[in-house]
Protein backbone atom coordinates (compact mmCIF):
# COMPACT_ATOMS: atom_id res chain seq x y z
CA UNK A 1 0.00 0.00 0.00
CA UNK A 2 1.22 3.45 -0.81
CA UNK A 3 2.23 5.27 2.35
CA UNK A 4 3.43 8.74 3.18
CA UNK A 5 7.23 8.71 3.15
CA UNK A 6 9.88 11.42 3.05
CA UNK A 7 10.83 12.42 -0.47
CA UNK A 8 14.32 13.64 -1.16
CA UNK A 9 14.82 15.95 -4.09
CA UNK A 10 18.06 15.07 -5.83
CA UNK A 11 19.85 17.09 -8.46
CA UNK A 12 19.15 20.38 -10.10
CA UNK A 13 20.12 21.32 -13.67
CA UNK A 14 22.25 24.32 -14.53
CA UNK A 15 20.53 26.70 -16.90
CA UNK A 16 21.97 29.22 -19.35
CA UNK A 17 25.57 29.90 -20.38
CA UNK A 18 25.93 33.65 -20.31
CA UNK A 19 28.17 35.41 -17.83
CA UNK A 20 25.16 36.95 -16.14
CA UNK A 21 23.42 33.61 -15.89
CA UNK A 22 26.59 32.02 -14.52
CA UNK A 23 26.74 34.55 -11.70
CA UNK A 24 23.07 33.83 -10.93
CA UNK A 25 23.69 30.08 -10.61
CA UNK A 26 21.01 28.12 -8.77
CA UNK A 27 22.38 27.06 -5.35
CA UNK A 28 23.25 23.36 -5.15
CA UNK A 29 22.86 23.08 -1.36
CA UNK A 30 19.37 24.55 -0.99
CA UNK A 31 16.01 24.60 -2.73
CA UNK A 32 15.13 27.83 -4.45
CA UNK A 33 11.46 28.94 -4.31
CA UNK A 34 11.84 30.50 -7.74
CA UNK A 35 12.58 27.11 -9.35
CA UNK A 36 10.54 24.70 -7.23
CA UNK A 37 7.01 25.92 -6.53
CA UNK A 38 5.98 25.56 -10.16
CA UNK A 39 3.76 22.48 -10.56
CA UNK A 40 1.28 20.25 -8.74
CA UNK A 41 4.08 17.70 -8.36
CA UNK A 42 6.18 20.28 -6.54
CA UNK A 43 3.29 20.91 -4.14
CA UNK A 44 2.87 17.18 -3.52
CA UNK A 45 6.53 16.85 -2.55
CA UNK A 46 6.42 19.80 -0.18
CA UNK A 47 3.20 18.39 1.30
CA UNK A 48 5.10 15.22 2.23
CA UNK A 49 7.68 17.43 3.94
CA UNK A 50 4.97 18.81 6.19
CA UNK A 51 4.13 15.30 7.35
CA UNK A 52 7.67 14.50 8.50
CA UNK A 53 7.45 14.60 12.29
CA UNK A 54 3.99 16.21 12.41
CA UNK A 55 2.70 13.91 15.19
CA UNK A 56 5.82 13.79 17.38
CA UNK A 57 5.65 10.07 18.14
CA UNK A 58 8.43 10.49 20.71
CA UNK A 59 5.97 12.42 22.82
CA UNK A 60 3.20 9.90 22.20
CA UNK A 61 5.32 6.97 23.37
CA UNK A 62 7.09 8.72 26.25
CA UNK A 63 4.20 10.72 27.66
CA UNK A 64 3.14 8.00 30.12
CA UNK A 65 6.51 8.58 31.79
CA UNK A 66 5.30 12.04 32.81
CA UNK A 67 2.50 10.36 34.77
CA UNK A 68 2.22 7.79 37.55
CA UNK A 69 1.72 5.03 34.98
CA UNK A 70 5.19 5.06 33.42
CA UNK A 71 8.86 5.57 34.23
CA UNK A 72 11.82 6.91 32.25
CA UNK A 73 15.21 6.08 33.78
CA UNK A 74 17.61 7.74 31.32
CA UNK A 75 17.75 11.43 32.25
CA UNK A 76 18.99 12.50 28.81
CA UNK A 77 15.70 11.28 27.31
CA UNK A 78 14.07 14.20 29.14
CA UNK A 79 11.00 12.69 30.82
CA UNK A 80 12.37 11.48 34.15
CA UNK A 81 12.44 14.95 35.69
CA UNK A 82 8.85 15.55 34.64
CA UNK A 83 7.65 12.24 36.02
CA UNK A 84 9.32 12.52 39.41
CA UNK A 85 8.38 16.17 39.90
CA UNK A 86 11.93 17.54 39.85
CA UNK A 87 11.46 19.63 36.68
CA UNK A 88 13.02 23.08 36.80
CA UNK A 89 13.80 25.79 34.27
CA UNK A 90 17.39 24.59 34.01
CA UNK A 91 17.31 20.77 33.96
CA UNK A 92 16.66 18.42 31.05
CA UNK A 93 13.00 18.06 30.14
CA UNK A 94 11.06 17.30 26.98
CA UNK A 95 10.72 20.33 24.74
CA UNK A 96 7.53 20.96 22.78
CA UNK A 97 8.32 24.62 22.12
CA UNK A 98 9.27 24.20 18.47
CA UNK A 99 8.19 26.29 15.51
CA UNK A 100 9.94 24.45 12.66
CA UNK A 101 6.76 22.63 11.70
CA UNK A 102 4.73 25.86 11.91
CA UNK A 103 7.19 27.62 9.59
CA UNK A 104 7.10 24.69 7.16
CA UNK A 105 3.30 24.82 7.04
CA UNK A 106 3.30 28.61 6.67
CA UNK A 107 5.65 28.43 3.70
CA UNK A 108 3.54 25.71 2.07
CA UNK A 109 0.30 27.65 2.45
CA UNK A 110 1.92 30.79 1.04
CA UNK A 111 3.58 29.19 -1.99
CA UNK A 112 0.80 26.85 -3.06
CA UNK A 113 -1.36 29.85 -3.86
CA UNK A 114 0.86 30.55 -6.87
CA UNK A 115 0.24 27.15 -8.49
CA UNK A 116 -2.64 26.51 -10.84
CA UNK A 117 -4.28 23.11 -10.29
CA UNK A 118 -6.30 21.24 -12.88
CA UNK A 119 -8.65 20.23 -10.06
CA UNK A 120 -9.37 22.96 -7.51
CA UNK A 121 -10.66 20.34 -5.06
CA UNK A 122 -7.24 18.67 -5.02
CA UNK A 123 -5.62 21.98 -4.12
CA UNK A 124 -8.14 22.64 -1.36
CA UNK A 125 -7.58 19.15 0.02
CA UNK A 126 -3.83 19.74 0.26
CA UNK A 127 -4.38 23.11 1.94
CA UNK A 128 -6.79 21.45 4.38
CA UNK A 129 -4.20 18.82 5.29
CA UNK A 130 -1.52 21.41 6.07
CA UNK A 131 -3.93 23.63 8.01
CA UNK A 132 -4.78 20.57 10.11
CA UNK A 133 -1.11 19.80 10.77
CA UNK A 134 -0.50 23.41 11.77
CA UNK A 135 -3.54 23.44 14.07
CA UNK A 136 -2.43 20.19 15.75
CA UNK A 137 1.06 21.58 16.33
CA UNK A 138 -0.33 24.74 17.90
CA UNK A 139 -2.71 22.69 20.04
CA UNK A 140 0.11 20.60 21.52
CA UNK A 141 2.19 23.68 22.28
CA UNK A 142 -0.72 25.70 23.63
CA UNK A 143 -1.82 22.87 25.92
CA UNK A 144 1.70 22.41 27.28
CA UNK A 145 2.71 26.06 27.66
CA UNK A 146 -0.55 27.98 28.02
CA UNK A 147 -0.08 30.47 25.18
CA UNK A 148 2.56 30.76 22.44
CA UNK A 149 3.28 33.23 19.62
CA UNK A 150 1.16 32.84 16.49
CA UNK A 151 3.81 33.35 13.84
CA UNK A 152 3.98 34.19 10.15
CA UNK A 153 6.86 33.64 7.71
CA UNK A 154 9.71 36.07 8.33
CA UNK A 155 12.84 37.15 6.47
CA UNK A 156 14.97 38.31 9.42
CA UNK A 157 15.47 37.38 13.06
CA UNK A 158 14.36 40.84 14.14
CA UNK A 159 11.14 40.50 12.21
CA UNK A 160 10.47 37.17 13.93
CA UNK A 161 10.57 38.68 17.41
CA UNK A 162 6.81 38.68 17.94
CA UNK A 163 4.90 38.77 21.24
CA UNK A 164 3.38 35.72 22.88
CA UNK A 165 -0.35 35.26 22.33
CA UNK A 166 -2.65 34.30 25.16
CA UNK A 167 -3.87 30.73 25.56
CA UNK A 168 -7.39 31.81 24.66
CA UNK A 169 -6.18 33.55 21.48
CA UNK A 170 -4.27 30.46 20.38
CA UNK A 171 -7.23 28.22 21.19
CA UNK A 172 -9.48 30.36 18.97
CA UNK A 173 -6.87 30.21 16.21
CA UNK A 174 -6.78 26.39 16.48
CA UNK A 175 -10.57 26.15 16.40
CA UNK A 176 -10.82 28.49 13.41
CA UNK A 177 -8.10 26.63 11.49
CA UNK A 178 -9.79 23.27 12.01
CA UNK A 179 -13.23 24.60 11.14
CA UNK A 180 -11.79 26.01 7.91
CA UNK A 181 -9.82 22.85 7.08
CA UNK A 182 -12.48 20.17 7.64
CA UNK A 183 -14.77 21.15 4.70
CA UNK A 184 -11.74 21.22 2.42
CA UNK A 185 -10.67 17.67 3.20
CA UNK A 186 -11.63 14.44 1.47
CA UNK A 187 -13.95 12.16 3.41
CA UNK A 188 -11.40 9.35 3.23
CA UNK A 189 -7.61 9.55 2.80
CA UNK A 190 -6.05 8.86 -0.58
CA UNK A 191 -3.62 6.42 1.10
CA UNK A 192 -2.53 5.36 4.57
CA UNK A 193 -1.02 8.23 6.52
CA UNK A 194 -2.70 11.12 4.73
CA UNK A 195 -5.05 13.36 6.66
CA UNK A 196 -8.74 13.31 5.78
CA UNK A 197 -11.86 14.45 7.62
CA UNK A 198 -11.59 11.75 10.30
CA UNK A 199 -8.19 12.92 11.55
CA UNK A 200 -9.09 16.62 11.51
CA UNK A 201 -12.33 15.90 13.35
CA UNK A 202 -10.38 13.83 15.91
CA UNK A 203 -8.09 16.80 16.59
CA UNK A 204 -11.14 19.04 16.89
CA UNK A 205 -12.72 16.53 19.27
CA UNK A 206 -9.67 16.07 21.51
CA UNK A 207 -8.81 19.77 21.72
CA UNK A 208 -12.42 20.63 22.58
CA UNK A 209 -12.56 17.95 25.27
CA UNK A 210 -9.29 19.14 26.81
CA UNK A 211 -10.63 22.70 26.93
CA UNK A 212 -13.97 21.47 28.36
CA UNK A 213 -15.93 22.68 25.33
CA UNK A 214 -18.17 19.63 25.57
CA UNK A 215 -20.73 20.54 22.92
CA UNK A 216 -17.98 21.02 20.34
CA UNK A 217 -16.32 17.75 21.42
CA UNK A 218 -19.60 15.86 21.18
CA UNK A 219 -20.38 17.23 17.73
CA UNK A 220 -16.92 16.32 16.43
CA UNK A 221 -17.15 12.80 17.85
CA UNK A 222 -20.60 12.33 16.33
CA UNK A 223 -19.33 13.57 12.95
CA UNK A 224 -16.60 10.90 13.03
CA UNK A 225 -19.16 8.24 13.91
CA UNK A 226 -21.37 9.41 11.05
CA UNK A 227 -18.54 9.00 8.54
CA UNK A 228 -19.14 5.26 8.81
CA UNK A 229 -15.47 4.46 8.19
CA UNK A 230 -14.32 3.31 11.62
CA UNK A 231 -15.20 0.52 14.02
CA UNK A 232 -13.70 -1.16 17.07
CA UNK A 233 -11.25 -3.93 16.30
CA UNK A 234 -12.55 -7.25 17.67
CA UNK A 235 -9.04 -7.88 19.03
CA UNK A 236 -7.59 -5.29 21.42
CA UNK A 237 -4.02 -6.55 21.12
CA UNK A 238 -4.15 -6.71 17.31
CA UNK A 239 -4.37 -2.92 17.02
CA UNK A 240 -0.78 -2.51 18.23
CA UNK A 241 0.73 -5.21 16.02
CA UNK A 242 2.01 -5.05 12.46
CA UNK A 243 -0.86 -7.36 11.54
CA UNK A 244 -3.33 -4.74 12.76
CA UNK A 245 -1.98 -1.70 10.94
CA UNK A 246 -4.97 -1.65 8.60
CA UNK A 247 -7.47 -1.98 11.45
CA UNK A 248 -10.64 0.07 11.02
CA UNK A 249 -10.21 1.25 14.59
CA UNK A 250 -7.13 3.32 13.68
CA UNK A 251 -7.99 6.82 12.51
CA UNK A 252 -4.42 8.15 12.25
CA UNK A 253 -0.96 6.69 12.82
CA UNK A 254 2.64 7.71 12.11
CA UNK A 255 3.68 5.82 8.97
CA UNK A 256 6.97 3.93 8.67
CA UNK A 257 8.74 1.76 6.13
CA UNK A 258 11.53 -0.64 7.09
CA UNK A 259 13.87 0.61 4.36
CA UNK A 260 13.01 4.22 3.58
CA UNK A 261 11.64 5.65 6.83
CA UNK A 262 12.03 3.13 9.63
CA UNK A 263 10.99 3.25 13.28
CA UNK A 264 13.88 2.66 15.68
CA UNK A 265 12.12 3.82 18.85
CA UNK A 266 10.32 0.52 19.39
CA UNK A 267 13.71 -1.16 19.97
CA UNK A 268 14.50 1.18 22.87
CA UNK A 269 11.43 -0.08 24.74
CA UNK A 270 12.56 -3.72 25.02
CA UNK A 271 14.27 -4.96 28.17
CA UNK A 272 18.01 -5.48 28.49
CA UNK A 273 18.13 -9.18 27.53
CA UNK A 274 16.40 -8.34 24.23
CA UNK A 275 19.06 -5.71 23.48
CA UNK A 276 16.72 -2.84 24.40
CA UNK A 277 17.22 0.16 26.63
CA UNK A 278 14.04 0.05 28.76
CA UNK A 279 13.68 3.71 27.87
CA UNK A 280 10.01 3.86 28.83
CA UNK A 281 8.44 1.23 31.06
CA UNK A 282 5.10 0.72 32.84
CA UNK A 283 4.84 1.26 36.58
CA UNK A 284 3.25 -0.74 39.39
CA UNK A 285 0.65 2.03 39.64
CA UNK A 286 -0.65 1.01 36.22
CA UNK A 287 -0.89 -2.64 37.31
CA UNK A 288 -2.78 -1.60 40.45
CA UNK A 289 -5.29 0.34 38.36
CA UNK A 290 -6.47 -2.77 36.53
CA UNK A 291 -9.56 -4.41 38.00
CA UNK A 292 -9.76 -8.10 38.76
CA UNK A 293 -11.39 -10.41 36.20
CA UNK A 294 -14.59 -10.33 38.29
CA UNK A 295 -14.87 -6.55 37.86
CA UNK A 296 -13.83 -5.62 41.40
CA UNK A 297 -10.80 -3.50 42.24
CA UNK A 298 -8.05 -5.37 44.00
CA UNK A 299 -8.80 -3.46 47.22
CA UNK A 300 -12.46 -4.53 47.39
CA UNK A 301 -13.57 -7.38 49.60
CA UNK A 302 -14.20 -10.52 47.61
CA UNK A 303 -12.00 -9.43 44.70
CA UNK A 304 -9.79 -12.50 45.01
CA UNK A 305 -6.59 -10.45 44.83
CA UNK A 306 -3.51 -12.36 45.99
CA UNK A 307 -0.49 -10.14 46.79
CA UNK A 308 1.76 -13.17 46.34
CA UNK A 309 0.46 -13.57 42.78
CA UNK A 310 -0.44 -9.96 41.90
CA UNK A 311 -0.83 -10.58 38.17
CA UNK A 312 -3.30 -13.45 38.48
CA UNK A 313 -7.01 -13.14 37.64
CA UNK A 314 -6.79 -9.57 36.37
CA UNK A 315 -8.62 -7.80 33.56
CA UNK A 316 -7.31 -9.69 30.48
CA UNK A 317 -6.34 -6.43 28.78
CA UNK A 318 -3.54 -6.06 31.32
CA UNK A 319 -1.64 -8.97 29.77
CA UNK A 320 -2.13 -7.39 26.34
CA UNK A 321 -0.64 -4.12 27.59
CA UNK A 322 2.19 -5.10 29.95
CA UNK A 323 4.86 -7.83 29.95
CA UNK A 324 5.27 -8.96 33.56
CA UNK A 325 7.23 -11.67 35.45
CA UNK A 326 6.01 -15.19 34.80
CA UNK A 327 4.71 -14.60 31.26
CA UNK A 328 5.79 -16.84 28.39
CA UNK A 329 8.07 -14.97 25.98
CA UNK A 330 10.02 -15.65 22.79
CA UNK A 331 13.19 -13.55 22.92
CA UNK A 332 15.13 -11.89 20.11
CA UNK A 333 17.03 -15.13 19.49
CA UNK A 334 13.77 -16.97 18.91
CA UNK A 335 14.13 -18.91 22.16
CA UNK A 336 11.07 -19.75 24.25
CA UNK A 337 11.55 -18.47 27.77
CA UNK A 338 9.72 -17.06 30.78
CA UNK A 339 10.01 -13.40 31.72
CA UNK A 340 12.02 -13.11 34.93
CA UNK A 341 12.87 -9.69 36.35
CA UNK A 342 12.75 -10.77 40.01
CA UNK A 343 15.82 -12.97 40.53
CA UNK A 344 19.29 -11.44 40.58
CA UNK A 345 20.75 -14.66 39.23
CA UNK A 346 19.33 -17.28 36.88
CA UNK A 347 21.08 -20.65 36.64
CA UNK A 348 24.09 -19.23 38.47
CA UNK A 349 24.48 -16.27 36.11
CA UNK A 350 23.62 -12.61 36.56
CA UNK A 351 20.08 -11.88 35.32
CA UNK A 352 20.35 -9.12 32.67
CA UNK A 353 16.73 -8.08 33.30
CA UNK A 354 16.92 -7.67 37.07
CA UNK A 355 16.32 -3.95 37.83
CA UNK A 356 19.70 -3.63 39.56
CA UNK A 357 21.82 -5.32 36.90
CA UNK A 358 22.28 -2.57 34.31
CA UNK A 359 21.07 0.87 33.24
CA UNK A 360 19.20 -0.78 30.37
CA UNK A 361 17.18 -3.14 32.56
CA UNK A 362 13.64 -2.09 33.44
CA UNK A 363 13.67 -0.38 36.84
CA UNK A 364 10.07 -1.44 37.50
CA UNK A 365 10.55 -5.02 36.33
CA UNK A 366 7.85 -4.40 33.71
CA UNK A 367 7.91 -3.81 29.95
CA UNK A 368 5.25 -2.65 27.50
CA UNK A 369 3.53 -5.34 25.46
CA UNK A 370 1.90 -2.84 23.12
CA UNK A 371 3.89 -2.59 19.87
CA UNK A 372 6.56 -4.96 21.30
CA UNK A 373 4.78 -8.33 21.37
CA UNK A 374 5.46 -10.59 19.63
CA UNK A 375 9.06 -9.69 18.91
CA UNK A 376 9.03 -11.99 15.88
CA UNK A 377 6.78 -9.57 13.95
CA UNK A 378 9.83 -7.39 13.21
CA UNK A 379 12.76 -8.40 11.05
CA UNK A 380 14.95 -5.80 12.77
CA UNK A 381 13.53 -3.99 15.81
CA UNK A 382 15.97 -1.13 15.22
CA UNK A 383 14.60 -0.63 11.71
CA UNK A 384 10.94 -1.58 11.94
CA UNK A 385 7.72 -0.54 10.28
CA UNK A 386 5.89 -0.14 13.61
CA UNK A 387 3.32 2.64 13.30
CA UNK A 388 2.58 4.69 16.38
CA UNK A 389 -1.14 5.36 16.76
CA UNK A 390 -2.31 8.96 17.13
CA UNK A 391 -6.09 8.51 17.19
CA UNK A 392 -8.29 5.44 17.67
CA UNK A 393 -12.05 5.05 17.28
CA UNK A 394 -12.31 3.92 20.92
CA UNK A 395 -11.33 7.46 21.94
CA UNK A 396 -14.17 8.80 19.80
CA UNK A 397 -16.81 6.66 21.50
CA UNK A 398 -15.50 7.45 24.98
CA UNK A 399 -15.32 11.16 24.21
CA UNK A 400 -18.91 11.17 23.00
CA UNK A 401 -20.01 9.48 26.22
CA UNK A 402 -18.04 11.85 28.44
CA UNK A 403 -19.18 14.97 26.60
CA UNK A 404 -22.85 13.93 26.64
CA UNK A 405 -22.64 13.13 30.33
CA UNK A 406 -21.01 16.47 31.11
CA UNK A 407 -23.65 18.32 29.11
CA UNK A 408 -26.76 16.54 30.33
CA UNK A 409 -25.85 14.47 33.36
CA UNK A 410 -28.06 11.69 31.95
CA UNK A 411 -27.36 8.49 30.09
CA UNK A 412 -29.93 9.15 27.34
CA UNK A 413 -28.25 8.80 23.94
CA UNK A 414 -25.12 7.10 25.32
CA UNK A 415 -26.61 3.64 24.96
CA UNK A 416 -25.56 3.08 21.34
CA UNK A 417 -21.98 4.17 21.98
CA UNK A 418 -21.74 2.03 25.10
CA UNK A 419 -23.18 -0.96 23.24
CA UNK A 420 -20.47 -0.68 20.60
CA UNK A 421 -17.74 -0.39 23.22
CA UNK A 422 -19.00 -3.55 24.87
CA UNK A 423 -18.72 -5.60 21.66
CA UNK A 424 -14.94 -5.97 21.74
CA UNK A 425 -14.10 -9.43 23.08
CA UNK A 426 -11.20 -9.53 25.54
CA UNK A 427 -11.00 -13.27 26.18
CA UNK A 428 -13.17 -13.04 29.30
CA UNK A 429 -14.42 -16.26 30.89
CA UNK A 430 -17.66 -17.46 29.35
CA UNK A 431 -20.70 -16.12 31.15
CA UNK A 432 -23.97 -17.97 31.59
CA UNK A 433 -26.56 -16.50 29.28
CA UNK A 434 -29.50 -15.01 31.14
CA UNK A 435 -32.95 -15.65 29.70
CA UNK A 436 -35.37 -12.86 30.55
CA UNK A 437 -39.10 -12.84 30.07
CA UNK A 438 -40.52 -10.38 27.54
CA UNK A 439 -43.73 -8.69 28.68
CA UNK A 440 -45.49 -6.20 26.41
CA UNK A 441 -42.22 -5.86 24.43
CA UNK A 442 -40.36 -5.12 27.67
CA UNK A 443 -37.27 -7.03 28.74
CA UNK A 444 -36.42 -7.10 32.44
CA UNK A 445 -33.76 -4.54 33.27
CA UNK A 446 -31.10 -5.34 35.83
CA UNK A 447 -29.05 -3.03 38.04
CA UNK A 448 -25.88 -4.63 39.40
CA UNK A 449 -24.29 -3.54 42.70
CA UNK A 450 -20.86 -3.84 44.20
CA UNK A 451 -20.35 -6.15 47.17
CA UNK A 452 -22.06 -4.93 50.40
CA UNK A 453 -23.23 -1.78 48.59
CA UNK A 454 -26.59 -0.19 47.78
CA UNK A 455 -25.00 2.68 45.83
CA UNK A 456 -25.91 2.79 42.14
CA UNK A 457 -22.83 3.02 39.90
CA UNK A 458 -22.96 5.41 36.95
CA UNK A 459 -22.57 2.59 34.45
CA UNK A 460 -25.82 1.05 35.72
CA UNK A 461 -27.92 4.13 35.07
CA UNK A 462 -28.77 3.03 31.55
CA UNK A 463 -31.00 0.21 32.85
CA UNK A 464 -32.96 2.63 35.03
CA UNK A 465 -33.28 5.08 32.14
CA UNK A 466 -34.58 2.33 29.82
CA UNK A 467 -37.17 1.30 32.38
CA UNK A 468 -38.33 4.88 32.93
CA UNK A 469 -38.69 5.42 29.18
CA UNK A 470 -40.77 2.25 28.82
CA UNK A 471 -43.03 3.26 31.71
CA UNK A 472 -43.64 6.71 30.27
CA UNK A 473 -44.33 5.44 26.77
CA UNK A 474 -46.66 2.59 27.84
CA UNK A 475 -48.07 3.87 31.16
CA UNK A 476 -47.53 0.51 32.87
CA UNK A 477 -46.53 -0.31 36.48
CA UNK A 478 -43.39 -2.26 37.36
CA UNK A 479 -41.95 -4.33 40.18
CA UNK A 480 -38.56 -3.38 41.63
CA UNK A 481 -37.13 -6.45 43.38
CA UNK A 482 -33.89 -6.39 45.37
CA UNK A 483 -31.53 -9.34 45.96
CA UNK A 484 -28.25 -10.16 47.73
CA UNK A 485 -25.79 -12.98 47.16
CA UNK A 486 -25.62 -15.91 49.56
CA UNK A 487 -21.87 -15.94 50.13
CA UNK A 488 -21.73 -12.47 51.66
CA UNK A 489 -23.35 -11.54 54.96
CA UNK A 490 -25.98 -13.17 57.16
CA UNK A 491 -29.56 -13.80 56.13
CA UNK A 492 -30.90 -10.84 58.11
CA UNK A 493 -28.16 -8.51 56.87
CA UNK A 494 -28.80 -9.52 53.26
CA UNK A 495 -32.52 -8.93 53.65
CA UNK A 496 -31.84 -5.34 54.78
CA UNK A 497 -29.26 -4.85 52.01
CA UNK A 498 -31.65 -6.05 49.31
CA UNK A 499 -34.31 -3.66 50.62
CA UNK A 500 -31.87 -0.74 50.45
CA UNK A 501 -30.97 -1.66 46.89
CA UNK A 502 -34.59 -1.88 45.77
CA UNK A 503 -35.50 1.43 47.42
CA UNK A 504 -32.45 3.13 45.90
CA UNK A 505 -33.55 2.14 42.39
CA UNK A 506 -37.16 3.14 43.03
CA UNK A 507 -36.01 6.51 44.38
CA UNK A 508 -33.95 7.07 41.24
CA UNK A 509 -36.97 6.35 39.03
CA UNK A 510 -39.10 8.78 41.04
CA UNK A 511 -36.65 11.61 41.71
CA UNK A 512 -34.58 11.63 38.51
CA UNK A 513 -37.07 10.47 35.91
CA UNK A 514 -40.39 11.66 37.33
CA UNK A 515 -42.08 8.27 37.63
CA UNK A 516 -45.06 8.21 40.01
CA UNK A 517 -44.57 6.09 43.13
CA UNK A 518 -48.01 4.60 42.50
CA UNK A 519 -46.58 2.83 39.44
CA UNK A 520 -43.84 1.09 41.41
CA UNK A 521 -44.13 -1.98 43.63
CA UNK A 522 -41.05 -2.51 45.79
CA UNK A 523 -40.04 -5.98 46.98
CA UNK A 524 -36.88 -7.51 48.44
CA UNK A 525 -35.83 -11.14 48.72
CA UNK A 526 -32.50 -10.95 50.56
CA UNK A 527 -30.39 -14.01 49.75
CA UNK A 528 -33.31 -16.41 50.16
CA UNK A 529 -33.97 -16.28 46.41
CA UNK A 530 -31.09 -16.39 43.92
CA UNK A 531 -32.21 -15.46 40.38
CA UNK A 532 -28.83 -16.43 38.89
CA UNK A 533 -26.59 -19.47 39.24
CA UNK A 534 -23.46 -17.31 39.42
CA UNK A 535 -23.20 -16.03 43.01
CA UNK A 536 -21.81 -12.58 42.22
CA UNK A 537 -24.62 -11.84 39.77
CA UNK A 538 -27.19 -11.91 42.58
CA UNK A 539 -26.13 -8.49 43.94
CA UNK A 540 -28.90 -7.00 41.84
CA UNK A 541 -32.20 -5.24 41.50
CA UNK A 542 -34.46 -6.58 38.76
CA UNK A 543 -37.14 -4.30 37.30
CA UNK A 544 -40.02 -6.24 35.73
CA UNK A 545 -43.21 -5.18 34.01
CA UNK A 546 -45.99 -5.73 36.57
CA UNK A 547 -48.75 -7.54 34.69
Amino acid sequence: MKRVLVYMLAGMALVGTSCSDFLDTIPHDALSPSTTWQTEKDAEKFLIGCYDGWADETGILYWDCASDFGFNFHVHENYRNIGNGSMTASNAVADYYKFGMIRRCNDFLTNIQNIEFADAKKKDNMIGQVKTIRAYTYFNMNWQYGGVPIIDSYETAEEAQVPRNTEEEVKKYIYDELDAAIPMLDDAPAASGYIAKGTALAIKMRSALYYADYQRAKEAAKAIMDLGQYELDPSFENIFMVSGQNSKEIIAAVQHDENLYSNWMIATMYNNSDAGWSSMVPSKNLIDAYEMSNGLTKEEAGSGYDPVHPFANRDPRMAMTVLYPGMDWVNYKGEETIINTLDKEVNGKSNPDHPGTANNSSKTGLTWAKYLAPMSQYGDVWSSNAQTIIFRYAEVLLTYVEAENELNGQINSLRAANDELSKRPVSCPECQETVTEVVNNYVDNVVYFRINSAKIDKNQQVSIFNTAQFMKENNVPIKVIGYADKKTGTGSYNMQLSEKRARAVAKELIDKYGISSSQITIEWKGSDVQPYNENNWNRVVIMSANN
Side-chain angles (χ1 to χ4, degrees), residues 207-281:
S207 59
L209 184 69
Y210 280 22
Y211 289 121
D213 292 329
Y214 297 114
Q215 185 62 39
R216 180 179 173 88
K218 175 188 169 183
E219 290 171 356
K222 185 63 166 62
I224 296 172
M225 295 159 68
D226 290 345
L227 287 173
Q229 298 175 21
Y230 309 105
E231 59 188 49
L232 292 180
D233 196 301
S235 170
F236 175 77
E237 59 186 338
N238 180 62
I239 309 166
F240 304 96
M241 296 180 182
V242 171
S243 60
Q245 289 179 351
N246 293 322
S247 168
K248 288 187 177 181
E249 181 163 341
I250 298 173
I251 298 174
V254 181
Q255 304 295 294
H256 285 286
D257 177 89
E258 293 172 336
N259 300 311
L260 298 176
Y261 192 55
S262 64
N263 184 336
W264 59 271
M265 288 194 62
I266 297 302
T268 71
M269 299 166 68
Y270 286 100
N271 211 338
N272 191 32
S273 65
D274 284 318
W277 300 348
S278 299
S279 288
M280 58 208 87
V281 297

Side-chain angles (χ1 to χ4, degrees), residues 318-455:
M318 186 184 79
M320 303 176 194
T321 303
V322 179
L323 301 176
Y324 52 79
M327 292 183 75
D328 292 330
W329 180 245
V330 178
N331 64 23
Y332 79 106
K333 297 178 181 178
E335 301 168 339
E336 294 184 1
T337 183
I338 296 175
I339 294 175
N340 183 350
T341 60
L342 304 178
D343 298 318
K344 290 185 177 180
E345 293 186 354
V346 178
N347 297 326
K349 297 181 180 180
S350 176
N351 180 3
D353 289 337
H354 185 270
T357 298
N359 286 342
N360 286 345
S361 57
S362 171
K363 301 310 171 191
T364 65
L366 306 169
T367 301
W368 292 111
K370 288 181 178 179
Y371 299 112
L372 275 63
M375 202 170 187
S376 59
Q377 67 186 309
Y378 303 120
D380 179 359
V381 294
W382 290 96
S383 182
S384 78
N385 65 337
Q387 298 180 7
T388 307
I389 297 171
I390 309 166
F391 294 105
R392 288 165 44 207
Y393 190 54
E395 180 183 348
V396 175
L397 299 179
L398 291 169
T399 297
Y400 183 85
V401 169
E402 181 175 350
E404 175 69 16
N405 189 55
E406 291 289 344
L407 288 167
N408 299 320
Q410 304 284 344
I411 299 302
N412 206 335
S413 61
L414 308 187
R415 286 175 292 169
N418 276 323
D419 284 347
E420 187 162 358
L421 281 170
S422 68
K423 289 176 186 175
R424 192 204 312 269
V426 288
S427 305
C428 290
E430 290 188 7
C431 297
Q432 176 182 347
E433 185 174 349
T434 304
V435 179
T436 52
E437 182 183 1
V438 179
V439 182
N440 292 338
N441 297 320
Y442 174 73
V443 180
D444 291 352
N445 274 311
V446 179
V447 177
Y448 291 94
F449 290 85
R450 294 179 182 268
I451 189 170
N452 292 329
S453 174
K455 180 181 178 182

Side-chain angles (χ1 to χ4, degrees), residues 36-45 112 115-117:
T36 51
W37 283 97
Q38 305 293 316
T39 67
E40 292 184 23
K41 288 293 183 184
D42 290 338
E44 290 172 3
K45 293 172 182 177
I112 195 174
I115 298 177
E116 292 292 333
F117 277 68

Side-chain angles (χ1 to χ4, degrees), residues 432-488:
Q432 176 182 347
E433 185 174 349
T434 304
V435 179
T436 52
E437 182 183 1
V438 179
V439 182
N440 292 338
N441 297 320
Y442 174 73
V443 180
D444 291 352
N445 274 311
V446 179
V447 177
Y448 291 94
F449 290 85
R450 294 179 182 268
I451 189 170
N452 292 329
S453 174
K455 180 181 178 182
I456 301 170
D457 286 347
K458 286 184 178 180
N459 61 4
Q460 297 299 309
Q461 284 282 352
V462 67
S463 294
I464 302 175
F465 173 83
N466 287 341
T467 300
Q469 288 294 101
F470 175 82
M471 295 177 72
K472 290 176 181 179
E473 292 169 1
N474 296 279
N475 193 30
V476 295
I478 66 160
K479 280 185 179 179
V480 176
I481 309 173
Y483 299 89
D485 71 284
K486 277 187 174 180
K487 293 184 180 180
T488 306

Side-chain angles (χ1 to χ4, degrees), residues 112-123:
I112 195 174
Q113 300 301 332
N114 300 323
I115 298 177
E116 292 292 333
F117 277 68
D119 181 359
K121 174 58 180 172
K122 178 180 178 181
K123 182 176 182 178

